[in-house]
Amino acid sequence: MSANAWLAQLHENGYRITKARGAVVETVEKSTHALTPVEVYDIARKKYRALGLVTVYRTLEKLEELHLIQRVHQPMGCQAFISAGHGHQHLLLCKNCGQVAFFEGDDVDALTKVVAKKTGYLITEHWFQLFGLCAKCRAK
Amino acid sequence: MSANAWLAQLHENGYRITKARGAVVETVEKSTHALTPVEVYDIARKKYRALGLVTVYRTLEKLEELHLIQRVHQPMGCQAFISAGHGHQHLLLCKNCGQVAFFEGDDVDALTKVVAKKTGYLITEHWFQLFGLCAKCRAK
DNA sequence: TTTGTAAATGATAATCATTATCAATAAGTA
DNA sequence: TACTTATTGATAATGATTATCATTTACAAA
Ligand SMILES: [Zn+2]
Ligand SMILES: [Zn+2]
Ligand SMILES: [Zn+2]
Ligand SMILES: [Zn+2]
């Protein structure tokens, strides 16, 4: 998905396409690292100087609402966002450089059933996330 | 583990045992729900009126450092803490009432190996968490 | 028990992140 | 082109967490 596709999504949902949103979308869409609002602000302002931090917050809010981005939870904090994967995917994060990779194909059904029986819970969702070192950081 | 055992842990690690810590420990240790600092403050102040919110923050910090409690990540926020499980355990959260259950016995090794090969990452940790409805909420 | 010392406390202020307000601007349709 | 209304950025307000500091208190040693 390109930045333009994201803007089209916004437009289709009744939101207007503006320079501010263009800068934010361009910044977030292409990043392979999870970015905090302030980080987005710093990068996007190089594309559109007049951008305000508040607009970054508002735009991220809308992108999350449209499932174009997702919040990334980490031990050091949970304020960062990254372009959302397609379908059912999970994250793999490099603890050294912050690089984010997606993966799919987890099969947690068997475990889920066992836990459901043991606890009496009805299980509806799961969060699964891996941490480690990316190939580049590993080589160092 | 009892509240006294937690206080003993604190003492063994060179921290003093005080009324403020006693109230916080008692509150957090027995809770089956993840509690935010302010929630701990409100409950613990019934046991020790003079308690300050700042001391709650400081005590939670130490309990986390000693791995007696852990931070709970949820879609609605990540400020809450709960008594930590023993060994390698994961959380199961009721989306309705917030009840927390622990489970173990997840085996993610197979998946981890596949993902490692595909991505080139060295995987060192994983986060796994289930959401659903507890037996009580399910019955309603 | 008494005493001395350093850790711990609570009140307050300071900082940082996020959200609300509002007048001015600009997107997009007619 | 003109009009309507969403959007914007600046500012203020709120909320959460952390820093400061004088006072209190745990607890080990005498
Ligand atoms: Zn989180
Ligand atoms: Zn890396
Ligand atoms: Zn999954
Ligand atoms: Zn429940």
Side-chain angles (χ1 to χ4, degrees), chain B residues 49-74:
Chain B
R49 265 278 44 91
L51 179 66
L53 177 57
V54 177
T55 299
V56 172
Y57 274 95
R58 289 188 282 226
T59 304
L60 290 176
E61 197 175 47
K62 284 171 182 56
L63 294 177
E64 191 181 21
E65 177 190 313
L66 296 179
H67 304 292
L68 291 169
I69 62 173
Q70 64 185 221
R71 186 179 294 271
V72 176
H73 295 261
Q74 286 181 269

Side-chain angles (χ1 to χ4, degrees), chain A residues 16-112:
Chain A
R16 293 180 181 174
I17 295 177
T18 67
K19 286 176 190 171
R21 286 178 179 164
V24 171
V25 163
E26 235 183 86
T27 300
V28 177
E29 190 268 333
K30 65 151 64 96
S31 176
T32 57
H33 293 66
L35 299 174
T36 64
V38 172
E39 287 169 340
V40 172
Y41 177 65
D42 289 337
I43 298 172
R45 224 146 54 98
K46 289 175 186 157
K47 303 173 202 294
Y48 179 56
R49 260 291 25 97
L51 179 66
L53 177 58
V54 176
T55 299
V56 173
Y57 274 95
R58 287 188 284 227
T59 305
L60 291 176
E61 197 174 48
K62 285 171 182 57
L63 294 177
E64 190 180 20
E65 176 190 314
L66 297 178
H67 304 291
L68 291 169
I69 62 172
Q70 64 185 220
R71 186 180 293 271
V72 176
H73 294 261
Q74 286 181 269
M76 53 176 291
C78 308
Q79 304 77 26
F81 293 88
I82 190 148
S83 164
H86 293 302
H88 185 79
Q89 300 215 126
H90 294 281
L91 297 181
L92 167 52
L93 295 127
C94 177
K95 289 201 289 183
N96 186 241
C97 72
Q99 174 90 235
V100 175
F102 288 90
F103 68 89
E104 52 190 351
D106 66 310
D107 185 8
V108 295
D109 286 353
L111 174 60
T112 295

Side-chain angles (χ1 to χ4, degrees), chain B residues 11-57:
Chain B
H11 194 233
E12 277 170 36
N13 285 80
Y15 298 119
R16 294 180 180 174
I17 295 177
T18 67
K19 287 175 189 171
R21 286 178 180 164
V24 170
V25 163
E26 237 183 85
T27 300
V28 177
E29 191 269 334
K30 64 151 66 95
S31 176
T32 57
H33 293 66
L35 299 174
T36 63
V38 172
E39 287 169 340
V40 172
Y41 177 66
D42 288 337
I43 298 171
R45 224 146 57 97
K46 290 174 186 159
K47 303 174 204 295
Y48 179 58
R49 265 278 44 91
L51 179 66
L53 177 57
V54 177
T55 299
V56 172
Y57 274 95

